[in-house]
Amino acid sequence: MIRFVVIFFSIFIFSATVIAQAPATKEQQELEKERQQLKRDIEETQGQLNKIRKTTKEIISQKALIERKLSLQEKVIDNINQDINFLNNTIYKSQKDINKMQLLLDTLKRDYTKSMIYSYKNRSNSDFLNFIFSASSFNDAIKRITYLKSYRNYREMQGANILRTQELLRNRISELGGTKKKKSSVLQVQAKEADILQSQQEEKNQVVKQLKAKGKELNNQVAAKKKQMMKVGNAIAAAIRRAIEEAKRATANEERKAREAEAKATKNTASGSTENTGTKKISKLSKKVTPVAITPGKELLNTTEAITLNNEFTKNQHKLPWPVDKGYILLHHGTNKVGPLTVVSEGISIGCDIGSPVKMIFGGEVVLVNNYDDVQMVVVKHGSYFTGYSNLTGVNLNKGQTVEVGQVIGKVAANLDGIGAIDLIISNEKSDLDPEQWLRRR
């Protein structure tokens, strides 16, 4: 029984020591790392906003950057809230551990007091000798001596456990106080970041007011942007149609060759060739060229190569790299509210520094390289999917060329507002898709 009690208290003390000495958790470290990255992103966005304000009076771009700042600031506050929740859980667990350790300490003190009183009452050497010599046999006497030694060791262990538990309790209380101080500090940071968010919201409201005040000027800008987007959309749509027609012709050509080969093999068999030889030739030809049917209404080549590329592209949703290393969304896919006006975009417009290298987001075949309004556009086929990159300069590609993911295809040019931007469109044979659903999250 004594051995069991000693082992139990030793295990508890060891567990409490591990808990008390545990370093900052991985979750806390990840939250802090994420928060620092968000702050760097906010500083970078602010730098881009300051640069735009110096070089242009374009308010639409300012609004996009301010909205990005707002989004990042909201993520910072969400990060702080997660940290506060974690600290609350830590405080709760620490208080729970302190209560358990206090209860254990009271139990140890009570048991130690009882054992000391018992030892005091039986402190005479004659009592110990009588206890030993009253044994019925020599073996029984040995057991009684062993018991007395174990009891003495148990009392010593009780005293050591009390001292160790008191030390752990002091450390745990100290850690609890430190956690509460940290929570107080984080709450102050939360209040400060909330004030920043409020000021950013007011900044956005001011920009919206300016947009509403510049009705005619803004209307002209939006009209010019729509005209440009229409040119790009029509060019990409035409490139996709041509690629589909070429795929159809290639399929029809394969089917014609297969039929001619089969007819030739049949003719050779009929003119006196051996049956086995003819059969082997037909078998080989059938394996070499497999006719591929085009489903009515489906406007794309259904070859093995196209299917493989299609499957690979589809599996990379939310994983594709961005076409530029650093950038921010100026226009989202679909409907965009620009002050009192509405702009519908078939892709996304990514703002970035003029001259930034533009990279392929996925490997494929170039189906269009075109010039329009002093800038260039590239369309690339990825099986049954297409990506279009417009507002480029310095493009050095040719139609039919194979490109790889990450390959530089040109540089970012200035858009109609005088700032660097690239327009990205992702389409299949049916409709335009939202590129933000395909690019990896930043």
Side-chain angles (χ1 to χ4, degrees):
M1 178 64 182
I2 293 175
R3 181 180 299 175
F4 172 77
V5 173
V6 171
I7 292 173
F8 170 76
F9 284 127
S10 299
I11 292 174
F12 182 88
I13 294 297
F14 174 76
S15 301
T17 304
V18 171
I19 294 172
Q21 295 177 351
T25 64
K26 185 177 180 181
E27 184 178 353
Q28 282 180 301
Q29 294 172 356
E30 288 296 326
L31 284 172
E32 182 62 28
K33 183 179 178 181
E34 179 186 355
R35 192 183 310 164
Q36 294 303 322
Q37 181 59 49
L38 288 170
K39 298 299 287 184
R40 286 192 292 269
D41 291 343
I42 290 174
E43 291 175 1
E44 179 184 331
T45 304
Q46 184 62 52
Q48 293 168 338
L49 182 58
N50 294 338
K51 186 185 298 185
I52 286 178
R53 283 172 173 164
K54 289 179 181 178
T55 58
T56 180
K57 296 181 179 180
E58 175 51 45
I59 302 177
I60 297 176
S61 302
Q62 293 181 30
K63 179 175 178 286
L65 285 171
I66 291 171
E67 287 177 342
R68 173 171 165 77
K69 273 203 313 178
L70 273 171
S71 175
L72 291 171
Q73 188 65 28
E74 288 171 353
K75 289 180 180 179
V76 169
I77 293 177
D78 182 64
N79 176 282
I80 293 173
N81 289 336
Q82 291 181 50
D83 199 3
I84 291 174
N85 290 336
F86 182 83
L87 290 171
N88 286 334
N89 291 335
T90 302
I91 290 172
Y92 171 77
K93 291 177 181 177
S94 296
Q95 189 62 59
K96 193 174 180 181
D97 289 341
I98 288 172
N99 294 338
K100 286 182 179 179
M101 293 171 73
Q102 188 64 58
L103 180 62
L104 172 63
L105 185 60
D106 293 341
T107 303
L108 288 172
K109 287 181 177 180
R110 185 171 58 251
D111 292 345
Y112 186 71
T113 301
K114 289 180 180 178
S115 64
M116 292 302 295
I117 292 174
Y118 176 81
S119 298
Y120 178 79
K121 289 182 178 179
N122 299 278
R123 65 186 181 280
S124 174
N125 289 333
S126 60
D127 293 334
F128 288 102
L129 292 175
N130 289 334
F131 177 69
I132 295 171
F133 287 117
S134 63
S136 58
S137 64
F138 179 76
N139 289 335
D140 187 24
I142 294 298
K143 289 180 180 180
R144 294 189 178 201
I145 292 172
T146 303
Y147 170 77
L148 291 174
K149 287 182 178 179
S150 299
Y151 188 73
R152 183 175 66 248
N153 292 335
Y154 169 64
R155 289 205 318 270
E156 293 175 356
M157 179 66 77
Q158 277 185 313
N161 283 342
I162 289 173
L163 293 175
R164 192 180 304 174
T165 303
Q166 287 175 332
E167 180 66 21
L168 287 173
L169 184 58
R170 283 194 294 270
N171 292 340
R172 203 63 171 158
I173 292 173
S174 176
E175 287 179 1
L176 178 60
T179 304
K180 288 181 177 180
K181 286 182 180 178
K182 185 176 180 181
K183 178 184 175 182
S184 177
S185 175
V186 173
L187 286 172
Q188 292 177 4
V189 173
Q190 182 191 43
K192 181 180 177 181
E193 297 294 341
D195 291 340
I196 294 175
L197 180 65
Q198 180 63 30
S199 65
Q200 290 177 355
Q201 186 62 51
E202 292 174 358
E203 185 181 13
K204 178 185 174 182
N205 293 338
Q206 285 295 114
V207 171
V208 171
K209 285 182 181 178
Q210 294 179 39
L211 285 171
K212 290 180 178 179
K214 292 189 173 184
K216 186 176 180 180
E217 180 182 347
L218 182 61
N219 193 35
N220 293 334
Q221 292 177 5
V222 171
K225 182 65 178 175
K226 287 181 178 180
K227 185 178 179 181
Q228 185 188 59
M229 289 168 59
M230 185 177 296
K231 283 185 180 180
V232 173
N234 291 338
I236 291 178
I240 292 175
R241 284 196 300 271
R242 284 195 297 270
I244 291 171
E245 290 300 323
E246 290 174 2
K248 283 182 178 181
R249 286 194 294 270
T251 301
N253 191 38
E254 287 182 3
E255 291 177 342
R256 180 180 57 79
K257 287 181 178 179
R259 287 194 299 269
E260 289 176 355
E262 185 176 357
K264 185 177 180 181
T266 304
K267 183 178 180 181
N268 289 339
T269 302
S271 63
S273 299
T274 61
E275 185 177 348
N276 291 338
T277 304
T279 303
K280 288 179 182 178
K281 285 183 179 179
I282 294 173
S283 177
K284 284 183 179 180
L285 289 168
S286 298
K287 290 181 180 178
K288 253 183 188 179
V289 182
T290 303
V292 181
I294 298 293
T295 304
K298 186 172 183 181
E299 300 178 322
L300 193 74
L301 175 64
N302 191 23
T303 62
T304 304
E305 180 185 6
I307 292 174
T308 302
L309 287 172
N310 180 20
N311 289 342
E312 290 176 358
F313 193 92
T314 304
K315 290 178 181 177
N316 283 279
Q317 195 167 10
H318 295 301
K319 297 178 182 178
L320 296 177
W322 283 58
V324 289
D325 293 333
K326 293 182 179 180
Y328 53 93
I329 303 296
L330 282 171
L331 289 176
H332 297 276
H333 176 265
T335 303
N336 294 264
K337 198 69 177 175
V338 183
L341 304 177
T342 299
V343 177
V344 179
S345 175
E346 296 177 347
I348 60 173
S349 183
I350 303 173
C352 50
D353 292 335
I354 296 174
S356 300
V358 179
K359 303 175 182 179
M360 283 296 306
I361 65 173
F362 199 75
E365 177 189 350
V366 178
V367 296
L368 175 69
V369 178
N370 197 9
N371 297 329
Y372 71 96
D373 297 339
D374 298 326
V375 291
Q376 296 173 292
M377 175 179 60
V378 174
V379 178
V380 181
K381 182 178 76 170
H382 318 278
S384 62
Y385 288 83
F386 296 83
T387 54
Y389 311 78
S390 59
N391 207 60
L392 304 177
T393 184
V395 175
N396 55 358
L397 300 175
N398 297 311
K399 182 180 177 181
Q401 181 178 341
T402 300
V403 288
E404 303 294 334
V405 61
Q407 179 176 337
V408 176
I409 61 174
K411 296 180 180 180
V412 176
N415 66 4
L416 295 175
D417 306 322
I419 64 173
I422 173 181
D423 296 325
L424 174 66
I425 292 177
I426 298 180
S427 302
N428 56 21
E429 70 273 16
K430 296 179 181 179
S431 61
D432 295 318
L433 307 173
D434 184 0
E436 289 185 68
Q437 298 300 317
W438 291 85
L439 300 178
R440 66 173 62 127
R441 302 189 187 282
R442 283 185 168 178

